[in-house]
Amino acid sequence: MIYSIFTALSWGKDLTHLFKRIEESKIALAIFSGKYAQSKWCLNELAKMKTLAEKNKLKVIPIFYKVKVDDVRHQKGEFGHNFWKLARTSSGEEIKQWKEALEFVSYKMGLTLCENRYST
């Protein structure tokens, strides 16, 4: 199964349901944009993906849409602004897990999409 299919099917349900779908998947697409880090939901999904990827149970493919890999990796730029704004209302443990997941996934081979071009 491909994770991204289940994100749409799971919208509005609790994360337990979504995590089960991620665990059943072989591949997950993490699609980063400038506003990705506004969502605890997205960051918690990413932390789950990291945990499974470290156990070789899931392949994670990052896609960087109009955001720099370095901004995701180091929480800078628009991405970083949104991350740190959300972090103000989050626990230290959540922030630690999110930062580790962002760094882990940003080092994976993925795809960068800009206005009219892409690169790998």
Side-chain angles (χ1 to χ4, degrees):
M1 291 183 217
I2 297 177
Y3 158 74
S4 62
I5 293 169
F6 294 107
T7 300
L9 296 175
S10 300
W11 191 255
K13 297 184 180 180
D14 67 34
L15 283 176
T16 307
H17 176 77
L18 182 59
F19 285 177
K20 182 176 179 338
R21 294 297 189 189
I22 294 170
E23 289 170 1
E24 293 171 348
S25 300
K26 302 282 185 217
I27 300 171
L29 303 176
I31 303 172
F32 299 103
S33 68
K35 295 184 180 188
Y36 181 95
Q38 290 178 334
S39 169
K40 281 189 178 191
W41 181 292
C42 290
L43 292 167
N44 288 332
E45 287 176 353
L46 188 68
K48 180 65 171 182
M49 287 183 225
K50 174 192 174 275
T51 299
L52 293 169
E54 288 177 323
K55 296 176 182 177
N56 293 318
K57 294 183 177 183
L58 183 69
K59 300 289 183 198
V60 181
I61 301 169
I63 299 173
F64 302 92
Y65 180 70
K66 296 183 183 180
V67 65
K68 295 178 184 174
V69 174
D70 197 53
D71 287 354
V72 172
R73 185 175 297 145
H74 300 292
Q75 299 83 55
K76 300 186 315 187
E78 178 189 3
F79 187 93
H81 172 77
N82 290 325
F83 179 87
W84 291 111
K85 185 176 178 182
L86 182 65
R88 286 193 293 264
T89 64
S90 306
S91 73
E93 184 58 31
E94 281 179 315
I95 296 165
K96 180 179 180 275
Q97 289 176 352
W98 297 340
K99 288 182 70 163
E100 289 173 356
L102 289 166
E103 183 173 351
F104 177 84
V105 173
S106 68
Y107 279 107
K108 299 280 185 194
M109 179 177 262
L111 187 65
T112 301
L113 301 171
C114 300
E115 287 296 323
N116 294 319
R117 65 182 200 24
Y118 67 91
S119 62
T120 55

